[in-house]
Amino acid sequence: MVQLHVKGVVRSSRQSMDFCATSLLYFGALLYVIVQLARFAFADADFTLLWAVVFGNKPENKLQGKVVWITGASSGIGEELACQLARLGARLILSARREGELERVKRCCLERSNLQEKDILVLPLDLLDRGSHEAKMKSAVQHFGNIDVLINNGGRTQRSLCLDTNVEVYQALMDLNYLGTVSMTKQVLPHMTERGTGVVVTISSVVGMAGVPLATGYSASKHALQGFFNSLRTELTDYPGITISTVLPGPVQSQIVQNAFTEQLGKPVATAGDQQHKMQTSRCVRLILVGIANQIQEMWIAQQPFLLAFYLWQYAPTWAWAFTNFLGRKRVQNFKAGLDADLAYFTKPKPKTS
């Protein structure tokens, strides 16, 4: 009888221990999920990029002394890239159409870094003038001897409804955003393959993954870039020293909206609205530089809820359509009412009164 009692106590003790272990396992899993959801709620980039921010290579160690060619360097993300790269000690080639603005950016870079005059080349360039790109490439190589990184940042966005937009606007968007970028890449890539090393970074957009209203042509040009560079990356498997990297930012503070195409060529945007609700340009650029330093092939950079849209489109497209349609409907409604399209996602701003 005593032996049976002892066996019962032992069995009960084991069951209790098993229950505790199972409970701890479930609690640990639940805690892990809660922590990850909390991290995601405050994240402003994909987890691979955020991991690199904490544990990866630092841009300060990888980009110092590199020759970096930036298109669209006269404002916005391009200007901030130039400034941060200058502080890191990278040598720069600054390209855009507006030479005066490029000179201004160069002066800012020199004032905020230890670079010398010879370390920054102002090279005015029009992405639409593809016949001039070969000569620009030769000038860049003649000045520095090599090009380590090409950052394709030049381009324009769009603010118009498809039903109102002339076909010429779509042609202009593809010529500038897509073919201009392809042309620059094709000029630099043979130089990189000959050396066996180099980085080509292209600033795409969240709309390169998911379409949004008022930007049918812009979205198409970014989708085209995604297809081109994803395919190019697979062609370069024999060149492991060359990295093809695509950056997909969400809304970022810049002048891109002020220069957007509308339904007619030459017609300016009526109002660009306040940009303060968007991600700070400095944070976006810092993340881009971390991605370059760690050879990340695709970077998602956006504040919530736009980061959520990336993951939905990647892993749950049915939910993504519902999410996108909900936001898109509000965006179109506010645009038709003369309100700022970007602010219209989550607020209903009042029209400005004179």
Side-chain angles (χ1 to χ4, degrees):
M1 182 68 70
V2 172
Q3 186 177 7
L4 289 175
H5 177 71
V6 170
K7 288 183 178 179
V9 170
V10 171
R11 186 182 300 110
S12 176
S13 176
R14 287 177 178 175
Q15 289 175 345
S16 178
M17 291 177 62
D18 289 343
F19 176 78
C20 289
T22 303
S23 298
L24 286 174
L25 183 62
Y26 281 127
F27 177 77
L30 179 61
L31 182 61
Y32 176 81
V33 170
I34 292 173
V35 169
Q36 295 304 319
L37 288 174
R39 287 182 60 206
F40 185 70
F42 295 98
D44 57 4
D46 63 83
F47 286 145
T48 300
L49 184 51
L50 292 178
W51 178 271
V53 169
V54 179
F55 301 106
N57 298 317
K58 303 302 179 185
E60 292 80 358
N61 300 330
K62 288 292 184 177
L63 298 177
Q64 184 177 9
K66 299 294 185 182
V67 177
V68 183
W69 190 354
I70 308 169
T71 67
S74 60
S75 63
I77 291 176
E79 178 178 353
E80 183 65 23
L81 278 164
C83 292
Q84 291 197 28
L85 282 164
R87 288 196 291 270
L88 295 179
R91 295 174 290 168
L92 302 173
I93 305 167
L94 306 179
S95 290
R97 291 180 301 166
R98 300 176 294 173
E99 186 172 2
E101 288 299 299
L102 291 176
E103 292 289 352
R104 177 188 61 79
V105 174
K106 178 179 178 178
R107 290 193 299 271
C108 291
C109 290
L110 291 173
E111 291 169 0
R112 302 174 185 178
S113 71
N114 295 322
L115 296 180
Q116 303 299 312
E117 187 84 19
K118 62 181 175 60
D119 295 323
I120 303 179
L121 172 64
V122 168
L123 191 62
L125 180 146
D126 187 347
L127 288 176
L128 292 174
D129 187 9
R130 296 192 290 274
S132 69
H133 294 175
E134 182 179 0
K136 299 294 183 180
M137 170 63 185
K138 290 180 179 178
S139 296
V141 173
Q142 183 178 9
H143 185 87
F144 284 114
N146 65 279
I147 298 168
D148 296 301
V149 182
L150 169 66
I151 302 181
N152 291 309
N153 175 68
R156 290 176 66 181
T157 188
Q158 176 193 7
R159 287 293 184 276
S160 61
L161 293 166
C162 175
L163 292 175
D164 302 329
T165 304
N166 294 337
V167 173
E168 290 76 14
V169 172
Y170 291 108
Q171 180 71 56
L173 282 161
M174 293 301 292
D175 283 344
L176 179 63
N177 295 352
Y178 175 63
L179 291 176
T181 298
V182 170
S183 176
M184 287 298 300
T185 302
K186 280 182 60 62
Q187 290 299 328
V188 175
L189 197 58
H191 169 75
M192 291 183 174
T193 55
E194 183 178 347
R195 298 177 65 229
T197 183
V199 181
V200 177
V201 182
T202 300
I203 310 300
S204 180
S205 169
V206 61
V207 304
M209 175 181 288
V212 297
L214 310 177
T216 48
Y218 179 66
S219 180
S221 68
K222 295 301 185 179
H223 272 74
L225 287 174
Q226 289 290 116
F228 176 83
F229 284 105
N230 285 346
S231 300
L232 176 61
R233 191 179 293 116
T234 65
E235 290 186 10
L236 297 175
T237 53
D238 289 337
Y239 299 93
I242 296 177
T243 300
I244 303 296
S245 183
T246 310
V247 184
L248 286 77
V252 176
Q253 295 176 12
S254 72
Q255 288 78 47
I256 191 170
V257 179
Q258 287 89 329
N259 300 319
F261 283 104
T262 60
E263 65 272 15
Q264 298 176 9
L265 289 177
K267 182 180 178 181
V269 174
T271 176
D274 185 11
Q275 304 287 306
Q276 296 305 309
H277 62 287
K278 299 180 179 180
M279 175 184 278
Q280 290 188 352
T281 315
S282 58
R283 172 61 177 173
C284 177
V285 166
R286 178 62 186 182
L287 289 169
I288 291 172
L289 297 181
V290 170
I292 295 173
N294 289 276
Q295 299 179 312
I296 296 178
Q297 295 179 344
E298 184 169 287
M299 310 175 214
W300 300 351
I301 300 174
Q303 295 173 326
Q304 296 293 10
F306 302 101
L307 184 63
L308 173 63
F310 281 107
Y311 281 92
L312 288 178
W313 277 108
Q314 185 77 6
Y315 301 109
T318 301
W319 289 6
W321 276 117
F323 181 77
T324 303
N325 288 341
F326 171 74
L327 296 182
R329 186 177 296 110
K330 293 184 64 177
R331 197 166 195 246
V332 171
Q333 289 171 350
N334 282 269
F335 177 76
K336 289 181 176 180
L339 306 179
D340 180 73
D342 293 329
L343 278 176
Y345 281 118
F346 304 105
T347 60
K348 291 186 178 180
K350 296 180 181 180
K352 292 182 180 179
T353 57
S354 56

